[in-house]
C-alpha cells in the first residue's frame, strides 16, 4: 500500500507542476513582447549587475530617459543620510 500511495503522490505532484507550467505559458502569451523583453532585461541587469549606461542603451531613447528620471526620483525620495559624528572624548585629568 505504501508504494501505491507514494506513486500516487508523485503523480499528483507532477500534475501540479504541469499545471503551473501551463499557467506560466498562458501568462507569457498574453504579455506584450516589449513588456516581456523589459522584464527579462531587468532580471539580467540584477543578475549581472549591469550599469545604468547598459540599461539606457538597451531601451529606446524615451524609455531610457524615463528610467533615469525614475532613478533620480527614487534617490530624492529616500530619506537623507545622517552623518556619523565621531565623538572624541576629552582627556581626563
Amino acid at each position: 500500500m505504501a508504494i501505491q500511495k507514494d506513486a500516487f503522490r508523485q503523480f499528483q505532484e507532477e500534475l501540479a507542476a504541469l499545471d503551473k507550467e501551463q499557467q506560466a505559458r498562458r501568462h507569457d502569451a498574453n504579455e506584450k513582447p516589449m513588456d516581456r523583453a523589459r522584464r527579462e532585461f531587468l532580471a539580467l541587469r540584477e543578475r549581472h549587475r549591469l550599469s545604468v549606461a547598459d540599461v539606457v542603451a538597451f531601451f529606446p531613447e524615451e524609455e531610457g530617459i524615463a528610467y533615469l528620471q525614475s532613478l533620480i526620483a527614487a534617490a530624492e525620495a529616500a530619506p537623507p543620510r545622517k552623518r556619523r559624528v565621531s565623538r572624541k572624548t576629552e582627556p581626563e585629568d
Side-chain angles (χ1 to χ4, degrees), residues 7 9-10 13 16 20 33 35 44-45 50 59 61 64 76 80 87 90-91:
R9 185 171 294 146
Q10 181 181 358
E13 291 171 358
K20 287 180 184 179
D35 292 339
L44 286 171
R45 182 181 74 83
L50 298 174
F59 289 116
E61 186 176 346
E76 290 175 352
R87 297 183 184 186
E90 294 180 16

Side-chain angles (χ1 to χ4, degrees), residues 68-80:
L68 288 174
Q69 289 173 340
S70 70
L71 288 178
I72 293 169
E76 290 175 352

Side-chain angles (χ1 to χ4, degrees), residues 2-52:
I3 294 173
Q4 290 178 356
K5 286 183 181 180
D6 290 337
F8 182 70
R9 185 171 294 146
Q10 181 181 358
F11 178 69
Q12 285 181 325
E13 291 171 358
E14 290 174 1
L15 280 178
L18 287 173
D19 286 342
K20 287 180 184 179
E21 183 180 328
Q22 191 176 32
Q23 288 176 350
R25 285 183 186 170
R26 284 184 195 148
H27 176 68
D28 290 345
N30 293 337
E31 192 175 28
K32 293 179 182 178
M34 189 61 177
D35 292 339
R36 183 175 66 245
R38 179 180 294 116
R39 180 179 46 80
E40 290 172 357
F41 181 79
L42 292 176
L44 286 171
R45 182 181 74 83
E46 290 180 15
R47 187 180 318 136
H48 297 288
R49 298 183 180 141
L50 298 174
S51 69
V52 173

